[in-house]
Amino acid sequence: MALAIDKCQLTRFHGGLRALHCADETAVGWVLGFEVDPVNSVQFSNHTGYAHWKGQMLNSAELNELYEGLKLNNVNHYDYVLTGYTRDASFLATVVDIVQGLKQQNSDLVYVCDPVMGDKWNGEGSMVGNRLLEPYLD
């Protein structure tokens, strides 16, 4: 089973973990033989490389609450974790805590990080800024 955290849901733009989550979020995972538990980190109107965007971001407390629900029901058993886009260092720290806990449960857990930092449309810098470089490198 796979857990996908930091999945982007964008109304306009094919970004985020689109390879795994297309129109039906779990269809591609199922075709590949995975059961996927997707967690949307953001739901935006469009990619943040545009001048304006609207929508919601899941915060670290909300992510922790979702994961605690999985733990309470004893359904937090994963072989793979795939993470992607986030705009917040505390959210990223919560992701690290979750992955570390899952690795304690399953030392064979495969963790794949696609930080989805991107370039701004004008080529100047990343869409998430330099504040997330250090947490990703750690």
Side-chain angles (χ1 to χ4, degrees):
M1 178 179 302
L3 174 66
I5 302 174
D6 299 349
K7 182 202 163 285
C8 300
Q9 185 67 37
L10 303 174
T11 302
R12 184 178 192 311
F13 188 79
H14 296 283
L17 303 176
R18 287 309 267 204
L20 189 56
H21 305 286
C22 53
D24 179 346
E25 295 174 328
T26 57
V28 173
W30 285 340
V31 167
L32 295 173
F34 294 99
E35 186 173 334
V36 179
D37 290 344
V39 176
N40 286 342
S41 62
V42 300
Q43 182 163 303
F44 287 159
S45 57
N46 50 271
H47 195 278
T48 59
Y50 287 88
H52 307 281
W53 71 92
K54 297 288 184 180
Q56 303 82 37
M57 286 190 331
L58 193 68
N59 66 41
S60 58
E62 293 164 333
L63 173 61
N64 192 57
E65 183 178 3
L66 286 172
Y67 186 68
E68 286 300 315
L70 295 171
K71 284 174 41 176
L72 286 170
N73 288 298
N74 197 30
V75 294
N76 63 323
H77 304 285
Y78 299 100
D79 298 311
Y80 303 91
V81 175
L82 173 63
T83 63
Y85 181 79
T86 187
R87 297 183 57 83
D88 180 76
S90 67
F91 188 92
L92 192 53
T94 301
V95 169
V96 169
D97 291 343
I98 290 170
V99 171
Q100 287 175 342
L102 289 170
K103 280 203 167 261
Q104 288 178 351
Q105 283 179 213
N106 176 4
S107 61
D108 293 328
L109 179 99
V110 175
Y111 172 59
V112 178
C113 175
D114 177 5
V116 191
M117 298 175 95
D119 293 337
K120 290 186 178 180
W121 295 117
N122 61 8
E124 296 178 12
S126 75
M127 293 177 295
V128 297
N130 292 334
R131 70 192 181 286
L132 292 181
L133 289 178
E134 190 173 323
Y136 275 118
L137 294 173
D138 287 345

